[in-house]
Amino acid sequence: MTDTSRSPLAPPAFPDLPAVGGVELRVARARYKDWNRCDLTFATLAEGTTVAGVLTQSKCPSPEVEWCRKALTLGQARALIVNAGNSNAFTGQRGRAAVEAIAARTAGQLGCQPSNVFVASTGVIGVPLPIDKAEAGLDAAFTAQLCDWRAAAETIGTTDTYPKGATTSAIVDGRRVTLVGIIKGSGMIAPDMATMLGFVFTDAAVEAGFLQAALAAANAPSFSCITVDGDTSTSDTVLAFATGAAGNAPLVDDDSPGADAFRAALADLCHQLAMLVVRDGEGATKLIEIAVTGAESDRSAHRVAMSIANSPLVKTAIAGGDANWGRVVMAVGKAGEPAERDRLAIRFGETQVARGGLAVEEYDEAPVAAHLAGHEVEIGVDLGLGDGRATVWACDLTHGYISINADYRS
Amino acid sequence: MTDTSRSPLAPPAFPDLPAVGGVELRVARARYKDWNRCDLTFATLAEGTTVAGVLTQSKCPSPEVEWCRKALTLGQARALIVNAGNSNAFTGQRGRAAVEAIAARTAGQLGCQPSNVFVASTGVIGVPLPIDKAEAGLDAAFTAQLCDWRAAAETIGTTDTYPKGATTSAIVDGRRVTLVGIIKGSGMIAPDMATMLGFVFTDAAVEAGFLQAALAAANAPSFSCITVDGDTSTSDTVLAFATGAAGNAPLVDDDSPGADAFRAALADLCHQLAMLVVRDGEGATKLIEIAVTGAESDRSAHRVAMSIANSPLVKTAIAGGDANWGRVVMAVGKAGEPAERDRLAIRFGETQVARGGLAVEEYDEAPVAAHLAGHEVEIGVDLGLGDGRATVWACDLTHGYISINADYRS
């Protein structure tokens, strides 16, 4: 973490996270930037570990994203390397060479195929990742002491103001399986795809195809439903690794015993992780939950919710504690989705503020102002058209966001 | 104007604007807010004046927008009323009744049909325009002294930091015709439709159908190519009035003598007015011109340009004078339009910074930093795919935007 001012929305402490059988963590200093911290994370994974992933849909992805996309087709993982301080995106052949060098060196260390090594990087765009620093960092990591989840979560962070991790468990095939995730991200966070760098580890035995299906399903209502600034990274990556150390009969499809429990646990973990990211939105002082109902479809509801969540005028109003519901009307109106002004209803928290195309007669702003004074704000919009619904999460837009981003790279 | 700090991008002075035959201007105090300024503008238009308009595509439009949309089908205008301080949007039947009352009272004064009276309002959303104040304001306006363009331009403004007007002329049918426009707007300014409140007056004789076609054509590369915050108003309205006082043979279609000259003049005027708005973007310190070339189509180029123009990370980088072209890559990648990372080229001002998917070898940041230190910044992006091109204009995102919008309504 380079930023010392912790988000006011941060959880009180990093949680106690259990070990996950088959996963070993180490961190080291590659010195990608001139800073006094670890910035390379090395996770080794037991033989037989399966992997799934969801990756940015950017048309300008990093070579790491391309590498992972290709490696995911094989579904097997032995290691994860995460570089912080340099995203290596938009760096041409030199960037691709750096990823290949990292995979080759790690594969040599572990005696596996390079395609079993997954690589993710985060930081400034446009500067090739220096291979010499990466290799020196790897060598240090190979011989480092084992570390805990907190150290790994800290090491993958950049502008994050706190390390982010979560856990859950499920009973599968009569055995308790553990899931742990770590994640980083607080700016360039946007909807409609896997977002940020997030890593989920489980000791469950899960075939790669089913793990991919479960991860994609868990991604849709979690990472794809948060936004900090509507800006989509070139490097967004969420990977899930299943080591099989729990010894359950492998999950192969929805009919496998415990498949539902595993899916539910993975979805819960992804939701926890997504909330940790939006709570660390750059400059955020308020977490905003936007629930849209009554849309013509769930997809339409999602788009309306994201139009609200990404509106600078809505986000600044919430920052100012201003119950300016007219800006919510504006954001609904501009979303390009089916909407009828005179059926629209809006609430802040539990208080209905508008209904049937105008302010409610008995509207009392006092409870709304009290709701907006808190750290967690709920906006509810009912379009009155159908059964479509969606919930998304965002944060407010403050002077802090400007301060962080008007002078980040320099 | 309620804001006393003038945009650093403002033109040095309000221009000298000529009278337009057939147009009379008056302003008055309706006291829509508790302020010491005129807030109702009344323009009377000679008999036979034709009218055209482009209006917001918001699904939650104001009753004024609905009124104008209907009245435009008749193509005849005798008066324009503009209310500042209350947009009257999302106010149900009471809002509609206010517009009808204004049109009826004005029609009674002038002895015309209510459908010849055009009404626009700007300000807070959700509060019905008080009919008593509107009627008292109208009565004061009916008997007020004639005023000049500057007074009218000031009276239609809200958070604008300077009054906005422009003029041009053309030779039509052997006669010089004059065009004058006034406009307001600095926040809730977004692409893909008529934006803000803008009013164009000409003494040319122009049939309504041709005026509409010429205005729609002029709107596309001007008002539809600017963005301050990506937020689309419920009340955006641009109306053009042609009084015919110049005495030319009426323009009826593209084959009419002078039609090309008139179209060009109208396009020039709309461009001038659009630039005045983006230069007064809330909190703006820099005008950003974004030119995208090499796209698969003009429409695709426009979408990529708007993705850059609306990216908070690009806008904050420009605010900070940071040549962070990686954020331009990000915004291209997220646009959802055809793009190939390894064909992408980016320039700031005249300096090429990236080409073929990576930074140029000889890249020298000094001239870029000098360019970014100015008030006018150019970003050029070539996608290397086809002949599609578009240019849009935006402003930077600063602490000023947050300050203005985190506490506007209260």
Side-chain angles (χ1 to χ4, degrees):
Chain A
M1 320 295 116
T2 54
D3 193 317
T4 53
S5 72
R6 187 174 168 89
S7 166
L9 308 177
F14 192 80
D16 283 330
L17 299 181
V20 174
V23 180
E24 292 182 347
L25 301 170
R26 293 175 175 83
V27 297
R29 294 176 186 227
R31 298 187 169 81
Y32 293 123
K33 294 180 71 171
D34 181 21
W35 54 15
N36 182 30
R37 49 161 278 185
C38 289
D39 50 9
L40 186 149
T41 305
F42 171 48
T44 54
L45 304 158
E47 288 199 43
T49 294
T50 57
V51 59
V54 282
L55 301 159
T56 184
Q57 294 177 31
S58 169
K59 297 294 176 63
C60 298
S62 69
E64 283 81 345
V65 165
E66 294 182 317
W67 176 270
C68 288
R69 188 168 282 137
K70 191 170 174 197
L72 280 166
T73 61
L74 303 174
Q76 297 289 325
R78 288 298 315 284
L80 168 70
I81 307 293
V82 185
N83 306 300
N86 184 329
S87 79
N88 195 37
F90 212 71
T91 53
Q93 178 51 38
R94 288 173 62 195
R96 288 188 281 276
V99 177
E100 289 166 10
I102 288 169
R105 200 175 194 88
T106 307
Q109 171 73 13
L110 297 179
C112 67
Q113 296 297 314
S115 58
N116 299 144
V117 179
F118 287 77
V119 186
S121 301
T122 175
V124 66
I125 294 171
V127 181
L129 194 77
I131 292 179
D132 55 343
K133 291 187 178 180
E135 291 185 337
L138 282 175
D139 290 346
F142 293 156
T143 57
Q145 301 274 317
L146 292 178
C147 73
D148 61 9
W149 290 113
R150 183 185 175 115
E154 286 174 340
T155 302
I156 67 174
T158 53
T159 58
D160 306 65
T161 74
Y162 58 88
K164 303 174 180 72
T167 187
T168 187
S169 68
I171 304 295
V172 174
D173 184 30
R175 294 164 196 259
R176 178 167 299 276
V177 303
T178 298
L179 297 86
V180 168
I182 58 174
I183 198 159
K184 65 85 52 179
S186 66
M188 210 177 273
I189 297 294
D192 209 18
M193 61 213 64
T195 310
M196 329 123 308
L197 301 187
F199 307 102
V200 173
F201 303 85
T202 178
D203 54 8
V206 191
E207 284 202 356
F210 181 68
L211 187 60
Q212 181 66 40
L215 181 63
N219 173 63
S222 60
F223 304 120
S224 288
C225 286
I226 64 171
T227 180
V228 168
D229 49 17
D231 273 350
T232 299
S233 166
T234 51
S235 307
D236 297 330
T237 299
V238 174
L239 298 173
F241 303 97
T243 67
N248 60 290
L251 297 172
V252 297
D253 59 29
D254 282 337
D255 295 330
S256 301
D260 286 352
F262 180 78
R263 273 183 176 273
L266 185 60
D268 171 55
L269 186 66
C270 288
H271 179 77
Q272 288 187 58
L273 294 171
M275 291 304 104
L276 288 171
V277 170
V278 75
R279 283 179 172 274
D280 203 13
E282 288 174 339
T285 66
K286 293 175 195 293
L287 174 70
I288 313 173
E289 177 177 300
I290 299 156
V292 173
T293 55
E296 287 200 347
S297 67
D298 289 352
R299 184 180 174 83
S300 180
H302 181 82
R303 288 184 177 169
V304 171
M306 277 296 182
S307 178
I308 300 166
N310 282 322
S311 160
L313 290 172
V314 171
K315 292 159 84 85
T316 48
I318 300 300
D322 177 7
N324 195 329
W325 56 270
R327 295 182 181 175
V328 178
V329 174
M330 177 280 299
V332 172
K334 77 164 182 167
E337 290 297 312
E340 284 183 35
R341 181 189 57 201
D342 296 344
R343 291 181 177 214
L344 194 56
I346 298 170
R347 68 175 166 82
F348 281 135
E350 299 300 311
T351 310
Q352 202 71 33
V353 298
R355 187 189 297 125
L358 69 168
V360 299
E361 284 290 337
E362 67 276 22
Y363 173 45
D364 172 13
E365 198 159 309
V368 173
H371 179 69
L372 292 182
H375 277 318
E376 302 190 4
V377 171
E378 290 175 37
I379 301 176
V381 172
D382 190 274
L383 299 177
L385 299 176
D387 295 327
R389 58 176 58 226
T391 301
V392 307
W393 294 269
C395 55
D396 53 345
L397 175 58
T398 68
H399 287 290
Y401 185 88
I402 306 294
S403 297
I404 292 166
N405 286 303
D407 197 28
Y408 168 56
R409 202 185 57 148
S410 316
Chain B
M1 320 298 117
T2 54
D3 194 316
T4 52
S5 72
R6 187 173 167 90
S7 167
L9 307 178
F14 192 80
D16 282 331
L17 299 180
V20 173
V23 180
E24 293 182 347
L25 302 170
R26 293 175 175 84
V27 297
R29 294 175 188 229
R31 298 187 169 81
Y32 292 123
K33 295 179 73 171
D34 180 21
W35 54 15
N36 183 29
R37 50 161 278 187
C38 289
D39 51 10
L40 187 149
T41 305
F42 173 47
T44 54
L45 303 158
E47 286 199 44
T49 294
T50 57
V51 60
V54 281
L55 300 158
T56 184
Q57 293 177 33
S58 169
K59 296 294 176 61
C60 298
S62 69
E64 282 81 345
V65 165
E66 294 182 317
W67 176 270
C68 288
R69 187 167 282 139
K70 191 170 174 195
L72 280 166
T73 62
L74 303 174
Q76 297 288 325
R78 287 300 313 286
L80 167 69
I81 306 293
V82 185
N83 307 297
N86 184 328
S87 78
N88 196 37
F90 211 73
T91 54
Q93 178 51 38
R94 287 173 63 195
R96 288 188 280 278
V99 177
E100 288 165 9
I102 288 169
R105 198 175 195 91
T106 306
Q109 171 73 13
L110 298 179
C112 67
Q113 296 297 314
S115 59
N116 298 145
V117 179
F118 287 76
V119 186
S121 301
T122 175
V124 66
I125 294 171
V127 180
L129 195 76
I131 291 179
D132 55 344
K133 290 187 178 179
E135 292 186 336
L138 282 174
D139 290 347
F142 293 156
T143 55
Q145 301 273 318
L146 292 178
C147 72
D148 62 9
W149 290 114
R150 183 185 175 113
E154 286 175 340
T155 302
I156 68 174
T158 54
T159 58
D160 306 64
T161 75
Y162 58 88
K164 304 174 181 71
T167 186
T168 186
S169 68
I171 303 296
V172 173
D173 184 29
R175 295 164 195 259
R176 179 167 296 276
V177 303
T178 297
L179 296 87
V180 168
I182 57 174
I183 198 159
K184 67 84 52 180
S186 66
M188 210 177 272
I189 297 295
D192 208 21
M193 60 213 64
T195 309
M196 328 124 307
L197 301 187
F199 307 103
V200 172
F201 302 87
T202 178
D203 53 7
V206 190
E207 284 202 356
F210 180 69
L211 187 60
Q212 181 65 40
L215 180 63
N219 172 63
S222 60
F223 304 120
S224 287
C225 285
I226 63 172
T227 180
V228 168
D229 50 15
D231 273 350
T232 299
S233 166
T234 50
S235 307
D236 297 330
T237 300
V238 174
L239 297 173
F241 302 98
T243 66
N248 60 291
L251 297 172
V252 297
D253 59 28
D254 282 335
D255 294 330
S256 301
D260 287 350
F262 180 78
R263 272 182 176 274
L266 185 60
D268 170 57
L269 186 66
C270 288
H271 179 77
Q272 288 188 57
L273 293 171
M275 290 304 106
L276 288 171
V277 169
V278 76
R279 282 178 173 275
D280 203 13
E282 288 174 340
T285 66
K286 294 176 195 293
L287 175 70
I288 312 172
E289 177 177 300
I290 298 156
V292 173
T293 54
E296 286 200 349
S297 67
D298 290 352
R299 183 182 177 81
S300 182
H302 180 82
R303 288 185 179 169
V304 171
M306 277 296 182
S307 178
I308 300 166
N310 281 322
S311 160
L313 289 172
V314 171
K315 293 158 84 84
T316 48
I318 300 299
D322 178 7
N324 195 329
W325 55 269
R327 295 182 182 176
V328 177
V329 174
M330 177 281 300
V332 172
K334 77 163 183 167
E337 291 297 312
E340 283 183 36
R341 182 190 55 200
D342 296 345
R343 291 182 177 213
L344 194 57
I346 299 170
R347 68 175 167 81
F348 281 134
E350 298 300 313
T351 309
Q352 202 72 32
V353 297
R355 187 188 297 125
L358 69 169
V360 299
E361 284 291 337
E362 67 277 24
Y363 174 46
D364 173 12
E365 198 160 309
V368 173
H371 179 70
L372 292 182
H375 277 319
E376 302 190 4
V377 171
E378 290 175 38
I379 300 175
V381 172
D382 190 273
L383 299 177
L385 298 177
D387 295 328
R389 58 175 58 228
T391 300
V392 307
W393 294 269
C395 55
D396 54 343
L397 175 58
T398 68
H399 286 292
Y401 185 87
I402 307 293
S403 297
I404 292 166
N405 287 302
D407 198 26
Y408 169 56
R409 201 185 59 147
S410 314

